[in-house]
Amino acid sequence: MNCYPQSLERLMAELAKLPGIGPKTAQRLAFHILDRGPDAANRLAEALNEAAAKLGECPVCFHIAEEGHCALCDDKTRDDSVLCVVESSRDIIPIERSGSFHGRYHVLGGLLSPMEGIGPAELHLKELLKRLEDDTVTEVILATGSNVEGEATAVYIADLLKPLDITVTRIAQGMPVGGDLEYIDEITLAKALAGRREF
Amino acid sequence: MNCYPQSLERLMAELAKLPGIGPKTAQRLAFHILDRGPDAANRLAEALNEAAAKLGECPVCFHIAEEGHCALCDDKTRDDSVLCVVESSRDIIPIERSGSFHGRYHVLGGLLSPMEGIGPAELHLKELLKRLEDDTVTEVILATGSNVEGEATAVYIADLLKPLDITVTRIAQGMPVGGDLEYIDEITLAKALAGRREF
């Protein structure tokens, strides 16, 4: 069916490559973009080109960064003695939003997953060990997710850091705030019970 | 919170302007785009720029078109005697997909909506009347939606075309194929009963 001009078909095809966007949504987005006029489309295009050109990884913590060090590594007010290890850049926002952490980050760039061929060499572990060499860091918080890969990666790193004189901690598992006992899965409940604290 | 570089924040802000895309989805899309590498981002940007530069309206039927007439107006095999009036370019695809129409189209560019300040002058009605002047068209099918604005617009156009010697028809209302009587609303059912045909 050749109802649409080629450049529109191409735009829809490119949009449909995005996650969670099927052909129908791609069509809706394309029409919306065109309805807003060429300026809006060009602005989005410019933002894409700029992001593609400027963004890379921070050479220290591997957080997403623009030309050089990231804002978090540059921030002089943060605590150098605590290092929070996360899977990806995406995980930093929720931690920052919680307002409960003011140390430094280290982005692994993935999680151990033999099924997908991701071993220790694929993660930024050598760089993590290098950052721990000068004894500035006294605590490493393992903040990978609570899924199988996140757990396995945390256990692996804890083992790796055992020879060093550094406290290694893991973020707590338990009931999410606002969670109903009735609807919580039994494994989470078991973790919540095991991790109970004195009131 | 300044966790992300400016160009990433900008990309997320531009993506969040799209319909149905909130800040969380925009973040997911932005990271996905960056994960695919700069080439993919540039390709999407190029598609946007090209669409913005090339696409406009067909001067005859107001369907979305690339530089000049649209493929549907250019198609010599279509029936010039039947004209299907639709709200927007988006409505042409489902009609084409149905395979039940081989005439020409006329895109109104909206529906009458006093609430939103859209009156007859805002729609491509003058151009519709002009297309009907040379007696080529013998039937006009009013294929606007079955909502209040769609109905009102169809009634308005039917009145407008009454003086002309042209058959004006309206697409049927009734049960959608696969629809269950149990779950259908009573207004649709009333229309389905009123529009019943001999078996």
Side-chain angles (χ1 to χ4, degrees):
Chain A
M1 216 142 11
N2 216 353
C3 307
Y4 288 144
Q6 223 189 333
S7 54
L8 178 58
E9 295 278 4
R10 185 184 162 203
L11 176 56
M12 295 196 293
E14 284 296 332
L15 288 170
K17 287 181 189 168
L18 299 175
I21 294 184
K24 283 224 167 177
T25 309
Q27 183 186 321
R28 198 163 56 91
L29 292 178
F31 272 104
H32 179 92
I33 290 168
L34 294 169
D35 283 350
R36 292 187 307 170
D39 283 356
N42 291 334
R43 263 202 309 281
L44 175 54
E46 214 182 286
L48 283 159
N49 284 330
E50 194 196 355
K54 285 193 182 170
L55 292 173
E57 281 172 347
C58 168
V60 175
C61 73
F62 299 97
H63 183 33
I64 196 160
E66 209 168 75
E67 295 156 354
H69 285 217
C70 71
L72 291 164
C73 283
D74 280 346
D75 186 346
K76 299 261 184 293
T77 68
R78 298 187 76 100
D79 184 356
D80 285 319
S81 70
V82 200
L83 193 66
C84 182
V85 175
V86 292
E87 176 190 351
S88 82
S89 269
R90 280 159 250 223
D91 302 328
I92 291 179
I93 277 272
I95 297 176
E96 283 298 295
R97 219 170 258 156
S98 78
S100 305
F101 181 71
H102 306 286
R104 304 288 178 186
Y105 289 95
H106 189 82
V107 176
L108 294 171
L111 293 174
L112 294 178
S113 172
M115 298 279 281
E116 291 173 48
I118 303 175
E122 272 72 46
L123 309 182
H124 300 303
L125 290 174
K126 253 184 296 181
E127 295 88 347
L128 172 64
L129 290 172
K130 206 161 181 70
R131 287 182 78 180
L132 302 176
E133 268 173 9
D134 67 355
D135 294 334
T136 317
V137 178
T138 56
E139 181 182 356
V140 169
I141 303 176
L142 301 174
T144 51
S146 286
N147 48 15
V148 178
E149 290 86 3
E151 280 298 319
T153 309
V155 169
Y156 183 89
I157 298 175
D159 269 357
L160 196 70
L161 304 186
K162 212 174 258 169
L164 309 178
D165 184 26
I166 290 176
T167 310
V168 178
T169 57
R170 177 90 174 103
I171 51 169
Q173 291 187 318
M175 295 283 294
V177 174
D180 251 333
L181 251 91
E182 197 180 341
Y183 300 115
I184 215 78
D185 66 289
E186 55 271 27
I187 301 172
T188 300
L189 205 49
K191 295 270 185 190
L193 284 166
R196 69 188 181 279
R197 295 213 214 164
E198 213 166 320
F199 206 56
Chain B
M1 214 136 20
N2 217 351
C3 308
Y4 288 144
Q6 223 189 333
S7 56
L8 179 57
E9 294 278 5
R10 185 182 163 204
L11 176 57
M12 294 196 294
E14 285 296 332
L15 288 170
K17 289 181 188 167
L18 299 175
I21 293 186
K24 283 225 167 176
T25 310
Q27 183 186 322
R28 197 163 56 93
L29 292 178
F31 272 104
H32 179 91
I33 289 167
L34 293 169
D35 283 349
R36 291 187 306 171
D39 281 357
N42 292 335
R43 262 202 310 280
L44 176 54
E46 212 182 289
L48 283 159
N49 284 331
E50 194 196 357
K54 285 192 183 170
L55 292 173
E57 281 173 346
C58 169
V60 175
C61 72
F62 300 98
H63 183 34
I64 196 160
E66 209 167 77
E67 295 157 352
H69 285 217
C70 71
L72 291 164
C73 283
D74 281 345
D75 187 346
K76 299 260 184 295
T77 67
R78 300 187 75 99
D79 183 356
D80 285 320
S81 70
V82 200
L83 193 64
C84 182
V85 175
V86 293
E87 175 190 349
S88 81
S89 269
R90 280 159 249 222
D91 302 328
I92 291 178
I93 278 271
I95 297 176
E96 284 298 295
R97 218 170 261 157
S98 77
S100 305
F101 181 71
H102 305 286
R104 303 289 178 186
Y105 289 95
H106 189 80
V107 176
L108 293 172
L111 292 175
L112 293 178
S113 173
M115 300 278 283
E116 292 173 49
I118 303 175
E122 273 70 47
L123 307 182
H124 299 304
L125 290 173
K126 254 183 298 181
E127 295 88 346
L128 173 62
L129 290 172
K130 204 159 181 73
R131 288 183 77 180
L132 302 176
E133 269 173 7
D134 68 352
D135 294 335
T136 318
V137 177
T138 56
E139 180 182 357
V140 169
I141 303 176
L142 300 173
T144 51
S146 287
N147 49 14
V148 178
E149 290 86 5
E151 280 298 319
T153 308
V155 169
Y156 182 90
I157 298 175
D159 269 357
L160 195 70
L161 304 186
K162 212 174 258 171
L164 310 176
D165 185 27
I166 290 176
T167 310
V168 178
T169 57
R170 177 87 174 107
I171 51 169
Q173 292 187 318
M175 294 283 294
V177 173
D180 250 333
L181 252 91
E182 197 181 340
Y183 300 115
I184 216 77
D185 66 290
E186 55 270 28
I187 302 172
T188 301
L189 204 49
K191 297 270 185 187
L193 284 166
R196 69 191 181 277
R197 296 211 214 164
E198 214 166 319
F199 206 58

